[in-house]
Amino acid sequence: MRKLNNNGFSMVQIMMAAGMMGLLSLGMMKLMENQTLSEKSLRSRAAVQNFYSEAKAYLARPGYCAKNFEGVYLKDGVEFELEDILKSNGKPIYKKGEIYELGLIRLDSITTRNFEKDSEFKGLMQLVFNFSKVGKSYGAKKYVRVVKLSLELDKEGRVLNCSTLGSPSSFSFEGSENTVNTEGALNDLYHGKETEDSKKVKSLIEGSSALKEMNKNLEKLKESNKQLEEMFKD
């Protein structure tokens, strides 16, 4: 019978430890993948909102909105698609099919909808940006953002001028200055630190079933890590 060295480990113990370390490594790899996909999902949402805020600001500038719609004849309920959004000098700011925000989102289409006159010489219309995410990540694959336009018309319904009106309900990141540092926020969340960014990320996770499930798995992995640390402490 093989005797054990009081100061060492048996082969069985070594194999068990190696097996558990392998499982831990796989768990950590999965955790890192989940963190990467979750972070990309958050960045994509923020990118869409940044695009929306920027586009709305451009269209609010004198001459920008009018350049795209001036001279167009409109009737109640009419809808049409645009290939691009132009600056006041006629050069495009955004083009259908192009990729924006550091490669995170693609602008699939630019359309109008829900035109209606609210008086004889004024009307309202929605300008709709449709996006898709680029690459693999959690959450929705498609996004829609709407800019509301106020139009000045002549008596035949031709657009004389236009400007932005109000803002639609959308994701809570409003403008680029409030974009969350998702990498730091996820790290803080993992280590139980409560910061402004980690609160926003936690709120987003609670609102997404896919991210919520990922967070449950993350909590289980953290608990397993603690147990393994206790086992190998000595």
Side-chain angles (χ1 to χ4, degrees), residues 66-75 78 80 115 125 151-154 156-160:
K67 188 64 181 179
N68 292 276
F69 301 103
E70 193 174 29
V72 176
Y73 287 88
L74 299 176
K75 295 181 180 180
V78 69
F80 54 92
F115 169 75
M125 185 170 67
L151 307 168
E152 295 179 15
L153 313 166
D154 65 15
E156 283 83 27
R158 183 177 62 177
V159 178
L160 300 176

Side-chain angles (χ1 to χ4, degrees), residues 48-101:
V48 169
Q49 190 61 20
N50 289 344
F51 184 103
Y52 158 74
S53 299
E54 182 184 89
K56 186 178 176 183
Y58 269 125
L59 290 167
R61 296 177 64 177
Y64 277 64
C65 184
K67 188 64 181 179
N68 292 276
F69 301 103
E70 193 174 29
V72 176
Y73 287 88
L74 299 176
K75 295 181 180 180
D76 282 1
V78 69
E79 297 182 358
F80 54 92
E81 185 171 351
L82 290 78
E83 290 297 315
D84 47 34
I85 296 294
L86 303 175
K87 303 177 185 178
S88 58
N89 61 8
K91 295 182 179 179
I93 317 171
Y94 309 117
K95 291 181 68 70
K96 185 180 75 171
E98 294 291 320
I99 294 175
Y100 295 94
E101 298 291 331

Side-chain angles (χ1 to χ4, degrees), residues 129-228:
F129 294 95
N130 293 282
F131 306 92
S132 59
K133 281 196 292 192
V134 176
K136 184 180 178 183
S137 65
Y138 287 126
K141 305 300 181 186
K142 302 284 186 180
Y143 296 97
V144 177
R145 290 294 181 270
V146 179
V147 178
K148 297 179 182 178
L149 303 179
S150 175
L151 307 168
E152 295 179 15
L153 313 166
D154 65 15
K155 60 182 180 180
E156 283 83 27
R158 183 177 62 177
V159 178
L160 300 176
N161 198 5
C162 71
S163 59
T164 58
L165 173 71
S167 69
S169 298
S170 52
F171 190 55
S172 60
F173 295 157
E174 189 64 41
S176 59
E177 69 276 3
N178 290 331
T179 300
V180 169
N181 175 7
T182 50
E183 182 176 358
L186 288 168
N187 186 60
D188 289 340
L189 197 61
Y190 179 79
H191 291 95
K193 296 179 181 178
E194 194 171 89
T195 63
E196 287 301 315
D197 281 355
S198 68
K199 287 178 184 177
K200 290 177 183 178
V201 170
K202 186 176 181 181
S203 175
L204 179 63
I205 289 173
E206 290 301 315
S208 167
S209 57
L211 292 178
K212 192 180 292 185
E213 183 63 27
M214 180 278 295
N215 197 47
K216 287 181 182 178
N217 294 333
L218 177 61
E219 292 298 326
K220 290 178 182 178
L221 184 57
K222 284 168 63 179
E223 186 60 33
S224 298
N225 288 347
K226 288 180 182 179
Q227 293 175 0
L228 286 170

Side-chain angles (χ1 to χ4, degrees), residues 1 3 9 29 33 40 63 81 112 134 162-163 208 217:
M1 181 181 294
K3 294 184 179 180
F9 297 96
M29 288 174 64
E33 180 185 1
K40 188 171 182 182
E81 185 171 351
T112 67
V134 176
C162 71
S163 59
S208 167
N217 294 333

